[in-house]
Structure formats: C-alpha cells, structure tokens
Amino acid sequence: MLAGGVHALFLLGTTGEAPSLSYRLRQEIVQRACRQVQGRVPVLVGITDTAFVESVRMARYAAEAGAQGVVLAPPYYFPAGQEELLEYLQHLTPELPLPLYIYNMPSHTKLVFEPDTVRRALDIPGLAGLKDSSGNMVYFHRLQRLLAGRPEFTLLVGPEELLGEAVMLGGHGGVNGGANLFPRLYVTLYEAAVAGARDRVEELHAVVMAISDTIYSTGRHGSSFMKGLKCALALEGICEDFMAEPFHRFRDAERRRIGGYLEEIKQLLRRVGLPG
Amino acid sequence: MLAGGVHALFLLGTTGEAPSLSYRLRQEIVQRACRQVQGRVPVLVGITDTAFVESVRMARYAAEAGAQGVVLAPPYYFPAGQEELLEYLQHLTPELPLPLYIYNMPSHTKLVFEPDTVRRALDIPGLAGLKDSSGNMVYFHRLQRLLAGRPEFTLLVGPEELLGEAVMLGGHGGVNGGANLFPRLYVTLYEAAVAGARDRVEELHAVVMAISDTIYSTGRHGSSFMKGLKCALALEGICEDFMAEPFHRFRDAERRRIGGYLEEIKQLLRRVGLPG
Amino acid sequence: MLAGGVHALFLLGTTGEAPSLSYRLRQEIVQRACRQVQGRVPVLVGITDTAFVESVRMARYAAEAGAQGVVLAPPYYFPAGQEELLEYLQHLTPELPLPLYIYNMPSHTKLVFEPDTVRRALDIPGLAGLKDSSGNMVYFHRLQRLLAGRPEFTLLVGPEELLGEAVMLGGHGGVNGGANLFPRLYVTLYEAAVAGARDRVEELHAVVMAISDTIYSTGRHGSSFMKGLKCALALEGICEDFMAEPFHRFRDAERRRIGGYLEEIKQLLRRVGLPG
Amino acid sequence: MLAGGVHALFLLGTTGEAPSLSYRLRQEIVQRACRQVQGRVPVLVGITDTAFVESVRMARYAAEAGAQGVVLAPPYYFPAGQEELLEYLQHLTPELPLPLYIYNMPSHTKLVFEPDTVRRALDIPGLAGLKDSSGNMVYFHRLQRLLAGRPEFTLLVGPEELLGEAVMLGGHGGVNGGANLFPRLYVTLYEAAVAGARDRVEELHAVVMAISDTIYSTGRHGSSFMKGLKCALALEGICEDFMAEPFHRFRDAERRRIGGYLEEIKQLLRRVGLPG
C-alpha cells in the first residue's frame, strides 16, 4: 500500500475484521504495523468497542505504538439516542491520547451520527475528522455544509464507489478497502478528483465499479465484499485469506470466479494506464 | 417551470402527492397540464397504483390527454419479491400505450428494483428509463454499469442533492422537486455537470444543499420536504400551499422561517449569477 | 364461514387483497357479500386508501350496501407522523356513516398507531375498535391497559397464531385469515380461550401452528401466507385461487405440497374433535 | 432474588449491561455471584462477544467459577447469514466447557436465529436451550413446534410482558429483568401459568404490564427500560443506579416519577396478595 502511494493507513476497521479478533491480536497488529510504517504515513487505529474502558485502553496502546490518530464508531450493542451519543464523545475524547476520527457506520452499529450531533461535537477538543461509511451522499453533503467553517476537520468517505464524487464535490478523501488490493487505482482516482479532471475520474470510477460488481459481489451475504477482497489478496500473494469467525474464506468455485475477475480488472487497469 | 428551462415534466409523482388525490383530481391534473404545455416539453405521468387495472386506466387516460410517457413505482401495499416485481413489469408494460419509466422509491414502496431485476427487465419492449429516488449512489452506479450498452435507456436521479454527481458521472438528468420553485438553478446545475465544469457544479450544488438544509428541513416529519417546498411556492405566489390528507400546510411560525430562508437562498442565487 | 360459526366478517382486508383490486370490483364484493349475509352477522368493510376522498366514498358505499362497520389502516404511501395520524382520524371519522375500526398493520403501512395515539383517539365519536396485526403482543397488552376503562371498545388480534393468548389474557377476539378455510377451528379456539380452558386452548393452538408452519409457509416470499391459503381453499373447492397482481397462484409442485398438508391438518382436526 | 424464589440466575446479559463492562469487571461479577449463590440455583453466564476467542475465554472462566451454563447471542458487529450463524454454533459449542443456551436478541444483534437454523442446530452436542427476546410470539410458537420432540431443550422467553402467555402455552419459563426488583411477582406468575390458572395469570400479568408502562417507560430512549429498572432498584436500596457508558442514571425529575410509580406498583402487588 505504501508503494501504491496511499496517504495514510487505517488499522482495525471493518475490513480489518477488528471486532472479530482477540484483544491480544489487535494489539499485535497495531504494534507490527506501526513498526513497519516507521512514520512514513500517518497510522490511524480503530478503537471502537462496546466497553468505554476497552476503547481507552486500545487508544493508549495505539499511542504508545506510535500511531497518529484513533477512529471510533459508537458502541454497537445497545441502541443509544443522539444525546447519549454526544455525551459519550464528550466523555471519551478527553481520555484519548490521540486525535479522534468519528466513524459513521450505521449498517453495523444501528446508529447514525446525525448532522446536528456532529455539529454539537465540533466543540470537543481532540476531534479531528469523520469517516462516513453510510453510503448516503445526501448525508455526506449535509456534513460538508456544516463543516464549511472548519477546513482542518477531515471528512472522508468509506465506500470506494463514492470516492470520485465525494472528492470532486469537496470531500477530503476516502478510506477504501479496495486500496489493500489496488492502491494505485484509488490514489489516482483521488488525485483526478482533486484536480477536477472529470473525464479521468469517470474512467477510473468505472474500474472501481467493475471491482465492486465482480470481486465484491461474489457470494450471497453481506460479507461478500470482505470475502472477495481477501480472496483476491490471497490470489495476488499479498496475504492469506483466512477469515475470523463467523466468516470463512471462499471455497474453490468462488476462488476460480474471483481469479477470472482479477484478470478482467487488470485488463481494465492497463487500459486506463495503471499497473494491472 | 417552462420559462425556467426544464426539459420535461413529471406529473403525479411523490411531490405531486398523487396517491393522496382522488382519481377524478388526478385526471384533471393530467388533462390541464397537457393542455397548458402543448407539446413544448415531454410530459410524463405517474401511474403508480396498488391495483394493476387502475394503473392501466391512468396510462390510457394520460395517452389520450397527450402525455409522452408514464412512470411507475411498484404496488406498495403488499411486499413483493423480485421475481414477482419482474413479472409485474412483464404483464403491465404491454398494456400501456406509452413508454414506461420505472420509479425506484424504496422509502415509500418498501421495495427496491434490484440491479439484477432491472437487467432482466431491459428486454421488455416499451421500457424507456428509470428514475432512482433511493438516494443510494452505489446503487445508481451499479445501474449505470449494467446499462452501459443501452444508451437510449434514460437514467435519472430523484434527490436533487445528488444531481451534480449523478450527471457528472454519466447519469442522464434529474427529476427534482425543487425545480418547481427554482427551475433555473437545477437546469443550470445539470448543464454544468454535463459540461464537466466541476467548479461551477460545486457552487451550484452548494445552493441546492442550502435549500435542502433550510426550506426542506423545517418541521419534524418525513413530510418536511413537501411542506417546506409548498410553503415556499405559496410565498412566491406560484400556487396555494394546501396539502392533501394526512398532511397540512405549515402554520405561521414555520411560514415565517421559510420566508427568511427564501431571502437567504435568493441572495445565494444572485451570488452565483442566477435570478433570485 | 357462517356455517362454521364466525361472529362477523371483514371484507376487503389484507387477505382479501383489497388494495390490488379495481374499485369497481371492491364495490361488487361489498354488495354481493352483504346481500348474501342478510344481517346474520355484522359485516365490516375495509376502506383503507391513500386518498382520503376514496376512503369516504367506500365507507358510504358500504353503509348503503348494509354493512355494520368500516376498517381503516393509515394511508400507506407517505410516511406520516403520529400527530398527523391522529389528525387524520379526527378529520376522517366524522365523514363516515358507520363505526370505525382502526387497523394496525405496520408491516404493510410502515406506520404503527402508537399507544399514546390510540389513547388520544379514544375521544373521537364513532371509533369502535382496533384490529392489531402487528404480531407484537407487548404492544397488544399496552393497548389493553389503556383501554381498561373502555370495555365497549373492541380489541381484536390479527395473526391467528396469537388468537389463543390474546383472548385468554382479555382480548376480544381475532380477525384470522385461516377462518376462510377452517372457521370451526378458530371459533372453537376462541371459545376455549374465553372460557379459560387452558389445555383445550393449547391443543387447538397446536393445530393453528401446524397450519401456519405448513400451508402458510410454502414458497419463499412474504406472500406465501396468502398463496397457501388460497391454494388450500381451491383444493377444498371453496373458491378459485386466482390472485391479483403482483401475485400469482401456486404452480403444480406447491399445489401438491399444499394438498399433502391439508390431509395432515384434517387428521389433526379430527384428533381434537373437529370436522376435518 | 434468591429469597424471592427465582429458579436460576443469568449474569452478564442485556440488563446486566455486559457488553459495556470491561472484561476485568465481567469476570469479577461472575466470580462474586457464583461465590454468593453457592450452588443454590443454577447460574448462567453470558459469553456473547464479537470475538470467538473472547467468548471461549469467558466460558472457561465461568466454568472455573462454578457456573452451570453459558448464554450466547451471535456476534453483533458483522451481519452474518443463517448458514454462517449455524457454522459459528457448530464451531463454538465444542470449545465450551458448559451447556450452551442460545440468546435470540434481534433488536440488539440485527440477526434472528431463524427456526430452520435452530432446527439444524439441535444436533450440536452441548446445546441446552434458547432464550427468545425477540418479542415475537409467532416466532416463539414456531420454535415450540419444532422442539416438540425435544422436551429437555429449554425454551425461555425474554420480555416479561410475555411470560404469562409463553408459559401457559407450553414455554418453560422466562428470563425477566423485572425479577431483579420484584422476584416474587414473576415467580408467582410463572407458577400460575404452569398451573393453567388463567384468572390468576391475568391479574398478575396486569401488574407486570403496569410496571412496563410506568417504571420502564420513563424517558425517551430505547434504554428507558434499563434506566427505570436501575433507578427503582436504587430507590429500593438494592443497588446503585450507576450505568455504564453510553448511558447515565436518571436525574431528579425522573427519579421522583419512578418513586411515585413504585408506590403504585406496591399497592397493586398487595392487592394481588404479594409483598409490595
């Protein structure tokens, strides 16, 4: 990913399967990644947890390991109200040794950081940004409007299918799982969008959609994105495709389909001038 | 709206409160609108109905009145499966005297036209396009990909907050309720997006978001969009703000707030070179 | 059904596929049923409609045809707030020539009549009862508590799987689709529950669950209840199993399965002393 | 609770706020409770966790501390499919040193153990029962039917508002949060339901509903049940009403309301012959 030009790393997020890993393993990932990166790019660490104390503990661990920020989705077992969500941020943020990025992920947490809650949270010292994985661009644009006077607050988009438009219309970047596989594609798309090069954005976005419609859409469940991505990473020799419970790697039939898709995608990448 | 440059009209949609109107009134609207327009732009007529027969009847009425197309969301009382939805389209479309546009509106119908259903529906003679009001741009981009070989099939976006990006990334246009109020704004935004003029899109989009965050966000309920829009139309002297049951026009307090917002929006419009 | 002892009829409800029928056909059903019943039991007529005027029209038609009451779910296209729902009842009920029964059916209307809304609606002259098809017995018991001082207000349960407990714990009865097929079963279960004969309730309830798990659970979609019931009715020679769009009758394979289930159920019925 | 006659204890469930507690505190609760109970009733321990390894670890801890069973809701961050849920049970159960009770809690986990999944899970050695907190009695009755041949498999209901009917119709008992406050009430209701004493069930159930409508319904959020219960426990001098993040105890105004409700409930309890 560093060779591919990504501007930062986010460890222990959703694609990283963080909630499914033991705490020991989560810590090991943070430590080994920070050691490897050696400060070349900022490292953000997910500290989402249903238990307040465990979030603080992980944030402290991340700071000691040399990370630059932490990322937090709300506690996701009990359904909280917006007022409670705000108080939670107000209570937690002062305990954190690193800048905090909010992670809006309603499909997994059952809870949206409503724009008005974000607006009220902007006063909290230490709050540095927000990653929106809702997939709802109306919501994203609402946040942009209320952040108009806060250019140092970083607004990032989660789904890579929305990276092009989010950045063309003023968003600051993306945290896109596909960059584990083809970092250069997403970095180039980001740069084209910053430059307002609409035609270039459109052709790169088409490749992103091709990946989304093939590699991420093999298999029946909500987990097909993660399974497809991991399978492709394994086929590329980047990492094992072992998955934490309750999920399992694709079997041979799906693996062969992913292999075929990978070849198609690489052709598309070459056609837009990127290393396949 | 014609003076504002809109390229077509969609009668009896959601903003038009069609399901809340008596059948007699629905017919009167079609007849009077077609007579007024006199073919200057295409007129599309909503024929969404829980009863198959009533949809067909309204489509015939629209054809006789001189409309150019009909628009159909799925029957919205019984939750149908995708297979049933496809069969429904296969059975209904041959009965229609006008080209059919699908209306994807899951928040109101509880049902998405899944991409694979759209793909299979493309064979049906008479199917001319789709309006997506899901607000889900990942879905919209999925549709674009499967429509790649069908340039004559029209893909339109519902929420005006998404018009800029939808058109910049290849969508064909929008069916935007706000064009009842400020048609010139949406037409200009559309044209800038077609031209790939990113900076112009961004500044016009900002005005669209300002309208969305003020006029459409006054009041607590899901109906605040319609109430705010109608109230603004009344304040501008364009039409009465009477609403069909179960809704009611805004009272004085909200009306005053909308009045203030209108002035702000007009200033923003003038700042981007549009008539306020 | 009259021979089976049912205490009233509800025409044009969900099982009756009312929203899928043309208005002409809905009227014909009301007229022919009232003529056939000749006052032997009360006839209630569904007047649910997205258009206020059409609900009133159908209620007037029902009164003229000789019905005793009307049943109303909220308008189901636009999502209304509770305040709007209450106002809707306040505006509509005075226009109705017959007593009104509220129909709580959130799976199809996206809207619950919240207990507090029901409490505030109790003042409306003409409101006679409520049929709860939510399947949520905590909600049902909440309504019972707030209706404690209103014994003349009729509280009925929709899902037949809940008839036994609803009536044993003080509910007034059920409006159960299965009574189209085996009216005697549901009437006997109701009577046992009124009498507090727990063991008898338990054995009859077990037959109801057997029907629910077999005849109603053949096929993949939400419509399997209606398809299975209609298919069984056709196999019994009671009526055709034609279904209105967007649904279709079961094909041969499912029909054979339903036939087998019917034999099993009849055995169960005979075992509990009922005509199979 | 033991003095009130409860037949077993469930530690670290939803009312116990388990997911919000640090792991150290969870262990302390298990150890201290087991030491206090000294085998007088079975102690079940919640081991729900998003990480497989942490569930196993907690189960081992519970066994060492002297508990009799463990209770497991599915991992609740990633949305799993039914097939994955079944495999998860198949992989996890053999690792557990104690019998496993499934915890069906879709409002918090986004996932239902569908009846067919439960049916297929019945083969897993070590599976001892299921607690259903869905509030859906049709689902509960479906489970009863498929468990007909498995009388040793324990089926319990979560919401106390449904205890009466669940047990009258053959369910084995309840795991009811209110038994922290008035254990005698729920034990007596259970016994009346087992005995089929319908009138007694009805009058005790009415008190349960009164508690539900008052103490549990103060405050606006989904957490009002837990806040009201804890507040009442504090007013009764049973425990502190401190709550783990993201929640907070009621303030004075709500506390006074709960105090008033408590007096009303105690009157109702005395009226049905129970210690107030």
Side-chain angles (χ1 to χ4, degrees):
Chain A
M1 281 186 279
L2 294 186
V6 303
H7 306 99
L9 293 176
F10 172 22
L11 308 177
L12 298 182
T14 301
T15 309
E17 296 179 83
S20 307
L21 306 180
S22 74
Y23 284 83
R24 198 197 50 68
L25 187 50
R26 293 184 215 180
Q27 293 188 345
E28 189 180 334
I29 287 167
V30 173
Q31 196 177 54
R32 292 176 65 167
C34 286
R35 203 179 294 156
Q36 242 190 313
V37 172
Q38 294 208 348
R40 283 173 288 174
V41 298
V43 172
L44 309 184
V45 173
I47 61 166
T48 304
D49 206 294
T50 54
F52 186 93
V53 176
E54 305 293 351
S55 286
V56 173
R57 199 191 314 276
M58 185 61 73
R60 289 184 184 155
Y61 192 89
E64 279 162 30
Q68 275 69 40
V70 291
V71 188
L72 177 91
Y76 48 93
Y77 185 75
F78 291 108
Q82 291 294 312
E83 195 67 35
E84 290 161 335
L85 194 50
L86 179 64
E87 287 177 16
Y88 177 79
L89 287 176
Q90 287 166 340
H91 297 168
L92 182 66
T93 316
E95 307 290 326
L96 303 177
L98 291 173
L100 176 66
Y101 294 78
I102 293 174
Y103 184 10
N104 189 49
M105 184 58 169
S107 61
H108 288 57
T109 64
K110 304 169 298 208
L111 198 55
V112 174
F113 285 90
E114 288 181 7
D116 198 55
T117 304
V118 175
R119 190 185 52 70
R120 292 167 69 197
L122 290 176
D123 291 340
I124 304 174
L127 202 60
L130 185 146
K131 172 187 176 184
D132 175 31
S133 289
S134 69
N136 179 343
M137 286 307 291
V138 178
Y139 170 84
F140 191 87
H141 295 321
R142 291 239 153 104
L143 291 190
Q144 288 184 285
R145 210 173 106 81
L146 70 86
L147 292 168
R150 290 282 298 264
E152 83 291 359
F153 188 97
T154 304
L155 184 61
L156 304 168
V157 74
E160 55 207 67
E161 296 90 343
L162 305 172
L163 176 62
E165 59 212 273
V167 174
M168 271 207 290
L169 287 173
H172 300 139
V175 187
N176 305 142
N180 287 283
L181 183 61
F182 295 122
R184 181 61 62 200
L185 170 62
Y186 301 90
V187 169
T188 312
L189 172 52
Y190 163 79
E191 288 165 351
V194 168
R198 199 269 305 259
D199 294 349
R200 181 66 171 153
V201 167
E202 206 173 346
E203 72 179 11
L204 295 167
H205 167 74
V207 185
V208 170
M209 287 312 302
I211 295 170
S212 175
D213 262 359
T214 57
I215 294 176
Y216 300 167
S217 301
T218 299
R220 294 164 304 153
H221 299 311
S223 53
S224 61
F225 158 68
M226 280 162 56
K227 287 179 183 166
L229 178 58
K230 281 226 158 174
C231 181
L233 287 165
L235 289 167
E236 292 292 289
I238 296 170
C239 67
E240 274 293 310
D241 60 354
F242 178 84
M243 293 194 72
E245 294 272 356
F247 300 128
H248 300 284
R249 74 184 82 196
F250 276 146
R251 302 218 175 79
D252 277 358
E254 289 100 343
R255 204 173 163 92
R256 271 191 300 273
R257 285 177 60 195
I258 299 286
Y261 292 145
L262 264 177
E263 291 317 304
E264 291 173 32
I265 300 299
K266 287 177 182 178
Q267 280 202 339
L268 294 177
L269 285 170
R270 286 188 291 267
R271 234 179 273 161
V272 297
L274 291 175
Chain B
M1 280 185 280
L2 295 186
V6 303
H7 307 101
L9 293 175
F10 172 21
L11 308 177
L12 298 180
T14 301
T15 309
E17 296 179 83
S20 307
L21 307 179
S22 74
Y23 285 83
R24 198 197 50 68
L25 187 51
R26 293 184 216 182
Q27 293 189 345
E28 189 181 333
I29 287 167
V30 173
Q31 196 177 54
R32 292 175 65 167
C34 287
R35 202 179 296 156
Q36 243 189 314
V37 172
Q38 295 209 347
R40 284 172 287 174
V41 298
V43 172
L44 309 184
V45 173
I47 61 166
T48 304
D49 207 294
T50 55
F52 187 93
V53 177
E54 305 293 352
S55 286
V56 173
R57 198 192 313 276
M58 186 60 73
R60 290 184 183 153
Y61 192 89
E64 279 162 31
Q68 275 70 40
V70 292
V71 188
L72 178 90
Y76 48 93
Y77 185 75
F78 291 109
Q82 291 294 311
E83 195 65 37
E84 290 161 335
L85 194 50
L86 179 64
E87 286 177 19
Y88 177 79
L89 287 176
Q90 287 165 338
H91 296 167
L92 182 66
T93 315
E95 307 290 326
L96 302 178
L98 292 173
L100 176 66
Y101 295 78
I102 293 174
Y103 185 12
N104 189 50
M105 183 58 168
S107 61
H108 288 58
T109 64
K110 302 168 299 209
L111 199 56
V112 173
F113 284 90
E114 288 181 7
D116 199 55
T117 305
V118 175
R119 189 185 53 72
R120 293 166 68 197
L122 290 176
D123 291 340
I124 305 173
L127 202 61
L130 184 146
K131 172 188 177 184
D132 174 31
S133 290
S134 69
N136 180 342
M137 287 306 291
V138 179
Y139 171 84
F140 190 86
H141 295 321
R142 290 238 153 104
L143 292 190
Q144 288 184 287
R145 210 172 106 82
L146 71 84
L147 293 168
R150 289 285 296 265
E152 83 291 358
F153 188 97
T154 303
L155 184 61
L156 304 168
V157 73
E160 55 205 66
E161 296 89 344
L162 305 172
L163 176 61
E165 60 211 272
V167 175
M168 271 207 290
L169 287 173
H172 300 139
V175 188
N176 305 141
N180 287 283
L181 182 61
F182 295 121
R184 181 60 63 198
L185 169 63
Y186 301 90
V187 170
T188 312
L189 171 53
Y190 162 80
E191 288 164 350
V194 168
R198 198 267 306 259
D199 295 349
R200 182 66 170 153
V201 167
E202 206 173 347
E203 71 180 11
L204 295 167
H205 167 73
V207 184
V208 170
M209 286 312 300
I211 295 170
S212 175
D213 263 359
T214 57
I215 294 175
Y216 299 167
S217 301
T218 300
R220 293 165 304 154
H221 299 311
S223 54
S224 62
F225 158 68
M226 280 162 56
K227 287 179 182 167
L229 178 57
K230 281 228 158 173
C231 179
L233 287 165
L235 288 168
E236 292 292 290
I238 295 169
C239 68
E240 274 293 310
D241 59 354
F242 178 85
M243 293 193 73
E245 293 272 358
F247 299 128
H248 300 283
R249 76 184 80 194
F250 276 146
R251 301 217 175 80
D252 277 358
E254 289 98 345
R255 205 175 164 93
R256 271 191 301 271
R257 284 177 60 194
I258 300 286
Y261 292 145
L262 264 177
E263 290 317 303
E264 292 172 31
I265 300 300
K266 287 179 181 176
Q267 280 201 340
L268 294 176
L269 285 170
R270 284 190 293 266
R271 238 180 268 162
V272 296
L274 290 175
Chain C
M1 281 186 279
L2 293 186
V6 304
H7 306 101
L9 293 176
F10 172 23
L11 308 177
L12 299 181
T14 302
T15 310
E17 296 179 83
S20 307
L21 307 179
S22 74
Y23 284 84
R24 197 197 50 68
L25 187 50
R26 293 184 216 181
Q27 294 188 344
E28 189 181 334
I29 286 168
V30 172
Q31 195 177 53
R32 292 176 65 167
C34 287
R35 203 180 292 156
Q36 243 188 314
V37 172
Q38 294 210 345
R40 283 173 287 175
V41 297
V43 172
L44 308 185
V45 174
I47 60 166
T48 304
D49 207 294
T50 54
F52 186 93
V53 175
E54 304 295 350
S55 286
V56 173
R57 198 191 313 277
M58 186 59 74
R60 290 186 183 152
Y61 192 88
E64 279 163 29
Q68 275 69 41
V70 291
V71 188
L72 177 91
Y76 48 93
Y77 185 74
F78 291 108
Q82 291 294 313
E83 195 66 36
E84 290 161 336
L85 193 51
L86 179 64
E87 287 178 16
Y88 177 78
L89 286 177
Q90 287 166 339
H91 297 166
L92 181 67
T93 315
E95 308 289 326
L96 303 177
L98 292 173
L100 176 65
Y101 295 78
I102 293 174
Y103 185 11
N104 189 50
M105 183 60 169
S107 61
H108 288 57
T109 64
K110 301 172 298 210
L111 198 55
V112 174
F113 284 92
E114 289 182 5
D116 199 55
T117 305
V118 175
R119 190 184 54 70
R120 292 167 69 196
L122 290 177
D123 291 341
I124 304 173
L127 201 61
L130 184 146
K131 172 187 177 185
D132 174 32
S133 289
S134 68
N136 180 342
M137 287 305 292
V138 178
Y139 171 84
F140 190 87
H141 295 320
R142 291 240 152 103
L143 291 190
Q144 288 183 286
R145 209 173 107 82
L146 71 84
L147 292 168
R150 289 285 296 263
E152 82 291 359
F153 189 98
T154 302
L155 184 61
L156 305 168
V157 73
E160 54 207 67
E161 296 90 344
L162 304 172
L163 176 62
E165 60 212 271
V167 174
M168 271 209 289
L169 287 174
H172 300 139
V175 188
N176 306 141
N180 287 283
L181 182 61
F182 297 122
R184 181 59 63 197
L185 169 63
Y186 301 90
V187 170
T188 311
L189 172 52
Y190 162 79
E191 288 165 350
V194 168
R198 199 268 306 259
D199 294 349
R200 183 66 171 155
V201 167
E202 206 173 346
E203 72 179 11
L204 296 166
H205 168 73
V207 185
V208 170
M209 287 311 302
I211 295 170
S212 175
D213 263 0
T214 57
I215 295 176
Y216 301 167
S217 301
T218 300
R220 294 164 304 154
H221 298 312
S223 55
S224 62
F225 158 68
M226 280 163 57
K227 287 178 183 168
L229 178 58
K230 281 226 159 176
C231 180
L233 287 165
L235 288 168
E236 292 292 290
I238 295 170
C239 68
E240 274 292 310
D241 61 354
F242 178 84
M243 293 193 73
E245 294 272 358
F247 301 128
H248 299 284
R249 75 184 81 194
F250 276 146
R251 302 218 175 80
D252 277 357
E254 288 99 345
R255 204 175 164 92
R256 272 192 299 273
R257 284 176 61 194
I258 300 285
Y261 291 145
L262 262 178
E263 290 317 304
E264 291 172 32
I265 300 298
K266 287 178 181 176
Q267 280 201 340
L268 294 176
L269 285 171
R270 284 189 292 267
R271 237 180 270 162
V272 296
L274 291 175
Chain D
M1 281 186 279
L2 295 186
V6 303
H7 306 101
L9 292 176
F10 172 22
L11 308 177
L12 299 181
T14 302
T15 310
E17 295 179 82
S20 307
L21 306 180
S22 73
Y23 284 84
R24 197 196 52 67
L25 187 51
R26 293 184 215 181
Q27 294 189 343
E28 188 180 334
I29 287 168
V30 173
Q31 196 178 52
R32 291 176 65 166
C34 287
R35 202 179 295 156
Q36 243 190 313
V37 171
Q38 294 209 345
R40 284 174 287 174
V41 298
V43 172
L44 309 184
V45 173
I47 60 166
T48 304
D49 207 294
T50 54
F52 187 92
V53 176
E54 305 293 351
S55 286
V56 174
R57 198 191 313 276
M58 185 60 73
R60 290 183 184 155
Y61 192 89
E64 280 162 30
Q68 275 69 41
V70 292
V71 188
L72 178 90
Y76 48 93
Y77 184 75
F78 291 108
Q82 291 294 312
E83 195 66 37
E84 291 161 334
L85 193 50
L86 179 64
E87 287 177 17
Y88 177 78
L89 287 177
Q90 288 165 339
H91 296 168
L92 181 67
T93 315
E95 307 289 327
L96 303 178
L98 292 174
L100 176 65
Y101 295 77
I102 293 174
Y103 185 10
N104 189 50
M105 183 60 169
S107 61
H108 288 57
T109 64
K110 301 171 298 213
L111 198 56
V112 174
F113 285 91
E114 288 181 6
D116 199 55
T117 305
V118 175
R119 190 185 54 69
R120 293 166 68 197
L122 289 177
D123 291 341
I124 304 174
L127 202 61
L130 185 146
K131 172 187 177 185
D132 173 31
S133 289
S134 69
N136 179 342
M137 287 305 293
V138 178
Y139 171 84
F140 190 86
H141 296 321
R142 291 238 152 105
L143 292 190
Q144 287 183 286
R145 209 172 108 81
L146 71 85
L147 291 169
R150 288 285 296 265
E152 83 291 357
F153 189 97
T154 303
L155 184 60
L156 304 168
V157 74
E160 54 206 67
E161 298 89 343
L162 304 172
L163 176 62
E165 59 212 274
V167 174
M168 272 208 290
L169 287 174
H172 300 139
V175 187
N176 305 142
N180 287 285
L181 182 62
F182 296 122
R184 181 59 64 197
L185 169 62
Y186 300 90
V187 170
T188 311
L189 172 52
Y190 163 79
E191 289 165 350
V194 168
R198 199 268 306 256
D199 294 350
R200 182 65 171 155
V201 167
E202 206 173 347
E203 71 180 12
L204 295 167
H205 168 73
V207 185
V208 170
M209 287 312 301
I211 295 169
S212 175
D213 262 1
T214 57
I215 294 175
Y216 300 167
S217 301
T218 299
R220 294 164 303 155
H221 299 310
S223 54
S224 61
F225 158 68
M226 280 163 57
K227 287 178 183 168
L229 179 57
K230 281 229 160 173
C231 180
L233 287 166
L235 288 168
E236 292 292 289
I238 295 170
C239 69
E240 274 293 310
D241 59 354
F242 178 85
M243 294 193 72
E245 294 272 356
F247 299 129
H248 300 285
R249 75 184 81 193
F250 276 146
R251 302 217 176 80
D252 277 358
E254 288 100 345
R255 203 174 164 92
R256 271 192 300 274
R257 284 177 61 194
I258 299 286
Y261 292 146
L262 263 179
E263 290 316 305
E264 291 172 31
I265 300 299
K266 287 179 182 178
Q267 280 201 340
L268 294 177
L269 285 171
R270 285 189 292 267
R271 237 181 268 164
V272 295
L274 290 175

